[in-house]
Amino acid sequence: MATFQLLFPLFISCVAASTRPQRHLPACQVVQMDVFCSNLSLRGAPANLPRGIQMLDLSRNMLQNLTEETLAFHTRIHQLNLHSNMIHFIQPGLFKEMTDLKVLDLSRNHLNVYAVSKTNIGLLTAVESLDLSSNGLYTGMTDYFLAESPLLANLSLNSNSITKIAQSTFHGSVALRRISLHNNVILEIEDGAFDSLPQLTELDLSKNSITCITDFNLCQLKTLNLSRNSMETFQTIESDDVYELLSLDLSQNKMPYFPLLPKRNKLVYLDVSRNQLQSINVTGTVEELVNLRDSLLAHRSPGLSNRHQLLPNLKYLDLSYNQMKNIPQSFFCCMVSLQVLNVSNNCISSFVITYDELLKNVKIIDLSYNSLQTLTLGERTLQSVEELFLQGNELTTLDHQTFQRLPNLRYLQVQQNNLQICVSGQEQTEPMWTDLNQQDPPGCVSFSSIPNLHFLYLSENNLKTLPANVFFNTPLKLLDLSLNPGLEMEPESLSGLKHSLVHLFLRDNNISNLNTDLSSLTSLKYVDLSTNQLTTLPLWNKESSIESLNLQNNNLVTLEYSTVLALERSLKTLYMGSNPLSCCSNLRFLHMVQRSAVVVPDIETVTCVYMEDSEPVNIETVTQTMCHNFDNRGISVIVIVVIISGLILVLGLLVKLFHSRKRKRHRSFNA
Ligand SMILES: *[C@@H]1O[C@H](CO)[C@@H](O)[C@H](O)[C@H]1NC(C)=O
Ligand SMILES: *[C@@H]1O[C@H](CO)[C@@H](O)[C@H](O)[C@H]1NC(C)=O
Ligand SMILES: *[C@@H]1O[C@H](CO)[C@@H](O)[C@H](O)[C@H]1NC(C)=O
Ligand SMILES: *[C@@H]1O[C@H](CO)[C@@H](O)[C@H](O)[C@H]1NC(C)=O
Ligand SMILES: *[C@@H]1O[C@H](CO)[C@@H](O)[C@H](O)[C@H]1NC(C)=O
């Protein structure tokens, strides 16, 4: 029955759509000279549209036959959107007459049916942008649409079933600048298939089945996307021509070797991530390569052999998710402009940069999730690095001044390693690195006096102690020390961070007693103390500025009155679930929650018990009266208070009565 009710109006509207004369039909929207008739179950354009319209959107309708008639003879439009119809026939020569039509979207139709008839659609007189994606077209079928398209610049053939780009495919469309063939099944590109396209600058061949390109020769191309193919080789032909290529995406392929790029290139962006690179072979020492590079850059001499790749403009290099075991520093000789280097998720065990001039401009280095045991950086190397990702490695020892030497380091991730922190603090004399503190464990690394470090992630490092003043002179805003179970902090551990620290994470540390005074950290706003063994909160000496506090999963029975008081003013969010709270000794806290002074996102899981061994109840259900029933001392106090106040009341009443009688008597005399 319900289905029938649903179907019935639908049925009516379909009947209406097919029987009523067209001009009464649609509720198209007309905005100036643009007409929007999307999703109206139309079989053609409405006849009553204003003359001289520029844009007609007939997408998501039921057009099948594309003729002058179905377009209601609006042949002077500039832009026609017909995507998501059922078009399987196009009147040949239709677009020849449409001499203003620049943008034509025919995506998501059934043009493969039309192509079977082997008829050309004729001249695309003015069309500059054509979308034929998702039409079930396979190899050769495109010819019937592209044969005469002299002004066509943008072409999308995405999501069809094309297996081969033939030499003749684009012969009729010599003005093409951008071609997108994403998501086809291209296995073969015939020699010279793009040679007839002198203006081609962007080619998207991503998500196809191409296995190799051995003679790349499209000098004028600026962007090439070969991501998600089955590429095993990418090679440029031996040539001294200058290639305009700026961006090359080779990610998600099967390449065992670094691509052989044009000798003279302008490449800025190179993505070779998710391939099968095992190593990078570089011939020559750093000195030789640097000399060679400098002379080449100076003289622009063409005598470069293909083995020495010069990438003078490369800014972004992604080699993540490969199987590289090492990466020789000489590899970077020819990348003087590099800014972002991503080699995460490989198997690199040692990363060494000892020459100042290598990676001089790099701002971001991602070495995360390798098997790094050593990181060797020369004294004045990587001077521009701002973000360094070293998490998920096997670093146990580091030169203890490693990070101090990076003057621009702002963001450092070293979680999931086995680092030890040096004791070095305030009292150390200059220059710091000459006299290592006696107590320092060998191979420890220092985190004090890193002039620009704001974000430091040290979780999961098996840290056992955090000595006093470890972060002295390092302006940390965020510090993550989570997942270092058993970490012992000293009262002065964080004292260097008094004015800078905003975020502090101490999750999962098995801390039973936090002896650091967090209220002395005057900028602190976000604190995570969840999953520890805290039985009490640290003393808050003064008003805190904490806005968000996570106390989930601890052993808290009471929140002291002074703590609640210190927090109350600034606190906005409090996580409190999974603690063995006592219902009746937290009335102050309860009050704070109940009058919504603070948001408790996990309130559902905040429970408390009235007495030992009693069932936990949700804290929101607790009332003061119930506490009296459970708290005998409370009751006796209250009973005494009630009795005393009762007595006082009675006494007061008696006195009053006595007085008023007196007054009444006076009044009656007066009256
Ligand atoms: C489409 O239109 C043409 C010409 O008007 C006509 O011959 C053909 O039968 C039509 N096809 C369909 C499927 O309506
Ligand atoms: C071609 O595509 C680019 C990028 O989407 C766009 O900026 C340009 O305007 C398009 N050209 C035409 C004629 O549609
Ligand atoms: C290449 O194409 C893929 C789609 O398969 C896309 O995700 C990626 O962003 C493109 N690469 C570039 C550099 O635009
Ligand atoms: C490096 O690549 C990995 C994997 O693609 C990505 O998750 C990570 O965000 C990249 N690193 C940077 C700093 O962009
Ligand atoms: C956590 O601390 C308790 C003592 O407070 C100790 O018995 C236990 O072994 C510690 N657990 C870990 C994983 O360090």
Side-chain angles (χ1 to χ4, degrees):
M1 189 61 208
T3 337
F4 179 68
Q5 275 175 344
L6 253 176
L7 277 175
F8 192 63
L10 209 70
F11 178 62
I12 294 280
S13 66
C14 286
V15 171
S18 51
T19 54
R20 264 194 268 162
Q22 279 195 336
R23 76 179 50 127
H24 298 300
L25 250 180
C28 295
Q29 288 190 338
V30 182
V31 180
Q32 289 178 334
M33 283 294 136
D34 297 345
V35 180
F36 300 89
C37 303
S38 188
N39 214 354
L40 294 168
S41 307
L42 299 176
R43 283 165 190 277
N48 57 347
L49 296 176
R51 286 287 119 193
I53 57 174
Q54 303 238 313
M55 197 278 277
L56 178 58
D57 181 359
L58 283 167
S59 62
R60 300 176 205 280
N61 280 297
M62 295 158 66
L63 273 70
Q64 296 187 348
N65 231 349
L66 191 61
T67 62
E68 281 190 322
E69 225 167 350
T70 45
L71 291 178
F73 301 96
H74 287 287
T75 50
R76 309 230 43 117
I77 42 184
H78 294 210
Q79 196 175 336
L80 181 58
N81 189 346
L82 293 165
H83 82 75
S84 308
N85 277 279
M86 298 180 284
I87 298 169
H88 53 66
F89 177 81
I90 296 175
Q91 174 190 327
L94 173 67
F95 302 114
K96 185 178 176 190
E97 307 305 325
M98 301 181 71
T99 52
D100 295 320
L101 185 63
K102 292 207 158 115
V103 180
L104 175 59
D105 186 350
L106 284 164
S107 59
R108 296 182 183 273
N109 279 286
H110 305 310
L111 293 179
N112 54 336
V113 177
Y114 173 79
V116 170
S117 71
K118 298 192 192 290
T119 322
N120 275 342
I121 59 167
L123 181 63
L124 295 173
T125 308
V127 175
E128 290 174 4
S129 184
L130 175 63
D131 194 340
L132 291 170
S133 53
S134 301
N135 266 291
L137 300 174
Y138 45 89
T139 311
M141 286 185 162
T142 55
D143 296 0
Y144 308 113
F145 303 92
L146 303 177
E148 297 172 76
S149 47
L151 298 185
L152 190 61
N154 284 358
L155 171 65
S156 171
L157 287 164
N158 292 351
S159 305
N160 282 293
S161 307
I162 298 165
T163 53
K164 179 170 121 180
I165 310 292
Q167 227 181 23
S168 62
T169 304
F170 301 113
H171 270 178
S173 44
V174 293
L176 276 172
R177 290 169 191 274
R178 301 158 52 103
I179 304 176
S180 186
L181 284 154
H182 169 78
N183 194 20
N184 278 276
V185 268
I186 298 169
L187 287 157
E188 191 191 344
I189 299 175
E190 276 185 4
D191 249 359
F194 300 103
D195 285 359
S196 59
L197 308 175
Q199 299 180 67
L200 186 67
T201 53
E202 262 189 74
L203 183 55
D204 185 352
L205 289 165
S206 60
K207 208 169 178 220
N208 277 286
S209 310
I210 303 167
T211 52
C212 66
I213 289 184
T214 49
D215 49 2
F216 177 62
N217 64 349
L218 300 172
C219 293
Q220 81 286 12
L221 209 59
K222 292 202 163 133
T223 306
L224 176 58
N225 195 337
L226 283 162
S227 170
R228 301 171 76 185
N229 278 274
S230 309
M231 298 272 296
E232 286 169 19
T233 333
F234 179 91
Q235 286 183 10
T236 309
I237 53 165
E238 187 74 58
S239 151
D240 288 330
D241 294 339
V242 175
Y243 280 65
E244 299 296 324
L245 196 63
L246 299 175
S247 164
L248 175 59
D249 190 343
L250 289 164
S251 61
Q252 302 194 56
N253 278 289
K254 297 181 179 161
M255 304 218 308
Y257 303 110
F258 197 73
L260 214 47
L261 301 163
K263 268 190 249 176
R264 306 183 68 191
N265 66 73
K266 302 180 175 176
L267 208 58
V268 171
Y269 176 103
L270 177 59
D271 190 348
V272 199
S273 64
R274 296 177 200 267
N275 274 279
Q276 293 167 6
L277 300 184
Q278 307 224 339
S279 62
I280 284 176
N281 292 331
V282 186
T283 31
T285 65
V286 173
E287 286 90 347
E288 283 165 13
L289 290 169
V290 166
N291 286 338
L292 180 65
R293 177 199 72 200
D294 290 349
S295 65
L296 287 169
L297 287 177
H299 311 304
R300 301 246 156 259
S301 88
L304 187 59
S305 113
N306 242 352
R307 282 183 328 197
H308 298 123
Q309 299 209 17
L310 205 53
L311 292 159
N313 297 329
L314 194 67
K315 290 204 166 104
Y316 179 99
L317 176 61
D318 193 345
L319 294 169
S320 61
Y321 286 98
N322 278 285
Q323 296 146 20
M324 292 187 297
K325 293 202 175 59
N326 66 25
I327 183 162
Q329 59 177 326
S330 47
F331 175 61
F332 302 114
C333 286
C334 37
M335 304 178 187
V336 285
S337 308
L338 200 63
Q339 293 188 355
V340 181
L341 171 65
N342 196 339
V343 280
S344 72
N345 293 280
N346 278 275
C347 329
I348 299 171
S349 58
S350 164
F351 187 78
V352 179
I353 300 288
T354 47
Y355 291 84
D356 297 0
E357 75 157 274
L358 301 180
L359 300 178
K360 212 164 157 179
N361 294 307
V362 168
K363 293 201 162 77
I364 301 176
I365 300 185
D366 192 342
L367 281 160
S368 61
Y369 304 102
N370 277 284
S371 34
L372 276 189
Q373 290 174 347
T374 53
L375 173 71
T376 310
L377 303 179
E379 211 158 282
R380 296 195 48 78
T381 55
L382 307 186
Q383 298 293 290
S384 305
V385 160
E386 293 172 9
E387 299 180 25
L388 187 53
F389 297 82
L390 294 170
Q391 72 270 29
N393 279 291
E394 293 160 24
L395 293 170
T396 47
T397 58
L398 276 180
D399 187 348
H400 73 288
Q401 290 287 318
T402 303
F403 303 121
Q404 276 83 357
R405 295 196 201 111
L406 307 175
N408 287 301
L409 189 64
R410 209 170 45 78
Y411 189 100
L412 176 60
Q413 296 213 358
V414 282
Q415 70 269 32
Q416 292 172 272
N417 280 290
N418 262 307
L419 291 178
Q420 301 188 72
I421 302 183
C422 301
V423 180
S424 55
Q426 199 163 0
E427 61 277 15
Q428 245 176 0
T429 46
E430 297 280 325
M432 280 183 159
W433 44 93
T434 54
D435 53 359
L436 197 53
N437 199 306
Q438 295 290 307
Q439 305 149 276
D440 276 337
C444 69
V445 62
S446 161
F447 288 101
S448 66
S449 299
I450 309 176
N452 283 303
L453 189 63
H454 291 318
F455 302 90
L456 175 59
Y457 295 83
L458 271 169
S459 58
E460 281 185 87
N461 265 285
N462 262 319
L463 296 178
K464 291 298 169 212
T465 56
L466 200 62
N469 283 313
V470 269
F471 304 110
F472 178 71
N473 255 336
T474 298
L476 290 184
K477 289 184 176 153
L478 182 148
L479 175 61
D480 188 355
L481 290 165
S482 305
L483 286 151
N484 287 298
L487 176 69
E488 277 185 34
M489 292 172 69
E490 292 185 15
E492 297 296 309
S493 289
L494 304 178
S495 63
L497 306 174
K498 274 197 172 82
H499 303 295
S500 65
L501 199 66
V502 180
H503 299 261
L504 175 62
F505 304 125
L506 289 166
R507 187 169 52 85
D508 267 297
N509 275 347
N510 202 25
I511 301 175
S512 50
N513 184 16
L514 185 68
N515 50 12
T516 310
D517 177 13
L518 297 183
S519 63
S520 67
L521 300 167
T522 54
S523 301
L524 195 61
K525 286 201 164 79
Y526 308 93
V527 181
D528 188 352
L529 288 166
S530 61
T531 317
N532 280 295
Q533 310 280 344
L534 291 176
T535 46
T536 58
L537 278 189
L539 274 182
W540 257 275
N541 286 334
K542 45 181 183 286
E543 249 172 57
S544 89
S545 51
I546 296 173
E547 286 179 14
S548 170
L549 179 59
N550 192 338
L551 295 172
Q552 268 178 351
N553 208 6
N554 274 287
N555 274 328
L556 295 167
V557 177
T558 44
L559 280 189
E560 263 116 73
Y561 179 73
S562 61
T563 307
V564 177
L565 212 61
L567 284 172
E568 212 170 10
R569 213 168 289 176
S570 62
L571 199 63
K572 292 182 177 141
T573 311
L574 176 64
Y575 293 84
M576 196 69 215
S578 308
N579 276 289
L581 290 175
S582 140
C583 295
C584 297
S585 41
N586 283 301
L587 291 174
R588 175 86 198 183
F589 166 63
L590 195 67
H591 187 58
M592 191 162 99
V593 172
Q594 283 175 347
R595 70 190 158 85
S596 315
V598 54
V599 178
V600 185
D602 62 345
I603 191 80
E604 307 280 297
T605 62
V606 185
T607 55
C608 63
V609 291
Y610 282 107
M611 284 187 308
E612 256 179 72
D613 306 327
S614 71
E615 279 297 303
V617 297
N618 189 276
I619 196 143
E620 284 186 298
T621 64
V622 175
T623 61
Q624 225 145 342
T625 9
M626 284 172 86
C627 283
H628 301 148
N629 298 340
F630 282 93
D631 187 343
N632 288 330
R633 272 173 308 156
I635 285 180
S636 46
V637 168
I638 283 170
V639 167
I640 292 167
V641 167
V642 166
I643 290 173
I644 290 177
S645 43
L647 281 175
I648 290 171
L649 201 75
V650 169
L651 215 69
L653 276 175
L654 283 174
V655 170
K656 216 170 176 188
L657 203 70
F658 180 70
H659 272 275
S660 67
R661 279 214 184 139
K662 245 177 153 177
R663 229 181 279 149
K664 260 191 195 157
R665 244 183 276 151
H666 282 294
R667 262 188 235 146
S668 54
F669 279 123
N670 289 347

